[in-house]
Amino acid sequence: MQRTEKSKILLIYTGGTIGMSRNFETGALEPFNFNNIAQHIPELKQIPVKITIFEFEQIIDSSEMNVEYWQKIADKIFAEYQGYDGFVVLHGTDTMAYTGSALSFMLQNLTKPIILTGSQLPVGDLRTDAKENLISSIYFASLKNELGESQIQEVAIYFEYKLYRANRATKINANHFDAFDSPNFPPLGESGITMEVNEHLLLKKKPSQELKYYRDMSSQVMLIKIFPGMQEEILLHLLESSKIQCLLVEAYGSGNIFNYPKFFKALEKKINKGMYIIILSQCVGGSVSLGKYGSSKKWQQIGAISGKNMTTEAALVKSMHLLAKAENHTNFKLDFTKNLFGECFE
């Protein structure tokens, strides 16, 4: 494993805390010209790679992230793909796992890394985590193997000394530097005295496959989280919408839910008319196992789909991708249950 001075990294800034500086008179966070990032992190000049910075004309808070902005990010990477050895996307933390998951389905058969990172504190703060996150992300993005190929060939998130597969990561903490975790899959790498990569965990492109870009994503999805005392009438009202093609339900434990006869009868009718129902777990770790308990057998009876051990973020954007990809949805259930890009177990 090595780095080479010939590595070219495109640094894409979308917004977020990492691109802010604090006005010490007012205490407010204010965006700065990201092309001047080297003034805030002079250590970047010591990294033996060529860094090109691209800042979107409209930078946004990550809470404003949407399909159209995912497409802007993916468009830029796809357009510049041949000219760079790796890509680092600077992004707000709140929706980073959604964006990372989306890019893993939109840009398929990667031979180069796309690494998302950000920070909990702005770059100018005394105790900022921005410097380490950015510097290490660039290091990981520039790693090569003995054949001169990129060591990492997938979409990843780097945060607080750990590199995660993006479609396995989720934000777990709003106040600590270790904001992300990958509960059901080990880290791809860690930053310590040396940069360690768990090579056996990395995705590898098949030699015969070329980069494919699936730009379209369907927004006709809905996510609900059940809770004790949830009213059946409200659930029935939700199902009246004709715009929902796929309903994702965060159930209890391994897929358990209350017994509401009218609700399940309505769900079965919707499934028969072409809607997909995907069952996820509210638990951070573990997996959905429909039929393990009597309260989850109802899902099997009506033809719901298990989300296995996928994160909510990955399951949501995977459904958006598959709905947009298929002209007819005959393969949706089969494709959703497949492990396409490391997002779940088989």
Side-chain angles (χ1 to χ4, degrees):
M1 186 170 58
Q2 61 181 346
R3 283 181 290 106
T4 169
E5 293 187 7
K6 296 181 181 179
S7 292
K8 297 171 64 179
I9 304 298
L10 180 61
L11 192 61
I12 300 174
Y13 176 55
T14 68
T17 302
I18 196 169
M20 300 288 181
S21 61
R22 193 177 300 278
N23 184 321
F24 291 102
E25 293 183 1
T26 65
L29 296 179
E30 300 173 350
F32 61 83
N33 184 344
F34 205 82
N35 286 294
N36 299 326
I37 185 64
Q39 295 179 10
H40 296 268
I41 310 179
E43 294 88 345
L44 289 175
K45 297 177 181 178
Q46 300 178 38
I47 306 176
V49 296
K50 182 178 180 181
I51 301 171
T52 301
I53 297 172
F54 174 78
E55 179 178 344
F56 282 106
E57 183 176 346
Q58 180 187 8
I59 59 171
I60 62 171
D61 185 274
S62 68
S63 62
E64 300 291 340
M65 190 58 64
N66 54 39
V67 171
E68 289 73 22
Y69 214 94
W70 288 343
Q71 291 170 334
K72 288 182 180 180
I73 298 170
D75 285 347
K76 183 63 179 178
I77 293 173
F78 185 71
E80 303 286 355
Y81 191 75
Q82 299 303 325
Y84 293 91
D85 299 292
F87 303 86
V88 174
V89 180
L90 303 179
H91 194 292
T93 59
D94 286 342
T95 57
M96 188 184 294
Y98 289 97
T99 299
S101 295
L103 293 176
S104 76
F105 294 108
M106 297 171 79
L107 294 161
Q108 301 182 9
N109 305 327
L110 292 169
T111 57
K112 303 174 183 182
I114 301 172
I115 299 178
L116 289 82
T117 194
S119 66
Q120 294 286 69
L121 289 176
V123 69
D125 276 20
L126 182 62
R127 297 177 53 251
T128 184
D129 55 331
K131 291 185 178 182
E132 198 285 320
N133 285 347
L134 178 54
I135 290 169
S136 292
S137 293
I138 293 171
Y139 264 83
F140 274 117
S142 65
L143 291 177
K144 302 280 187 177
N145 60 23
E146 61 277 1
L147 300 176
E149 302 168 333
S150 294
Q151 188 78 7
I152 298 161
Q153 301 182 6
E154 58 181 285
V155 186
I157 288 176
Y158 180 84
F159 226 88
E160 188 63 6
Y161 305 112
K162 292 185 178 180
L163 184 74
Y164 303 107
R165 176 165 295 153
N167 58 31
R168 288 283 197 162
T170 189
K171 185 176 180 180
I172 60 165
N173 202 303
N175 295 324
H176 295 171
F177 288 138
D178 54 346
F180 288 85
D181 195 10
S182 177
N184 290 318
F185 195 77
L188 299 178
E190 295 191 46
S191 172
I193 300 300
T194 59
M195 310 293 285
E196 301 291 339
V197 176
N198 296 320
E199 191 169 353
H200 66 287
L201 299 175
L202 298 175
L203 292 178
K204 294 295 182 182
K205 181 185 97 60
K206 295 179 181 179
S208 60
Q209 295 179 333
E210 297 182 354
L211 177 69
K212 293 183 179 180
Y213 179 21
Y214 293 95
R215 190 175 190 273
D216 293 337
M217 300 284 275
S218 172
S219 295
Q220 292 185 302
V221 299
M222 176 61 70
L223 171 68
I224 63 171
K225 182 172 184 173
I226 66 166
F227 58 88
M230 198 172 194
Q231 294 185 36
E232 188 172 24
E233 290 75 14
I234 293 176
L235 291 168
L236 292 171
H237 181 71
L238 173 68
L239 293 178
E240 291 176 2
S241 173
S242 61
K243 298 293 185 180
I244 303 174
Q245 288 188 310
C246 182
L247 177 67
L248 297 95
V249 181
E250 280 195 357
Y252 303 128
S254 57
N256 302 317
I257 191 172
F258 36 66
N259 183 19
Y260 284 176
K262 291 181 181 179
F263 175 57
F264 274 93
K265 187 174 182 180
L267 283 177
E268 188 172 19
K269 288 182 178 179
K270 285 290 187 177
I271 289 175
N272 291 335
K273 291 181 178 180
M275 179 189 284
Y276 301 101
I277 311 295
I278 296 169
I279 312 306
L280 307 172
S281 175
Q282 295 181 11
C283 299
V284 176
S287 177
V288 169
S289 181
L290 301 184
K292 182 177 181 180
Y293 297 99
S295 56
S296 68
K297 287 184 178 179
K298 295 182 288 293
W299 295 124
Q300 292 179 315
Q301 293 167 356
I302 66 172
I305 303 169
S306 171
K308 299 184 178 180
N309 67 343
M310 271 185 273
T311 64
T312 296
E313 296 92 333
L316 184 74
V317 298
K318 185 176 184 178
S319 63
M320 297 170 78
H321 162 68
L322 291 176
L323 286 174
K325 180 182 176 183
E327 293 182 2
N328 61 65
H329 299 155
T330 54
N331 296 324
F332 181 97
K333 186 172 183 178
L334 178 63
D335 287 343
F336 191 89
T337 55
K338 285 181 180 178
N339 180 21
L340 300 179
F341 301 104
E343 70 278 5
C344 65
F345 59 70
E346 289 287 2

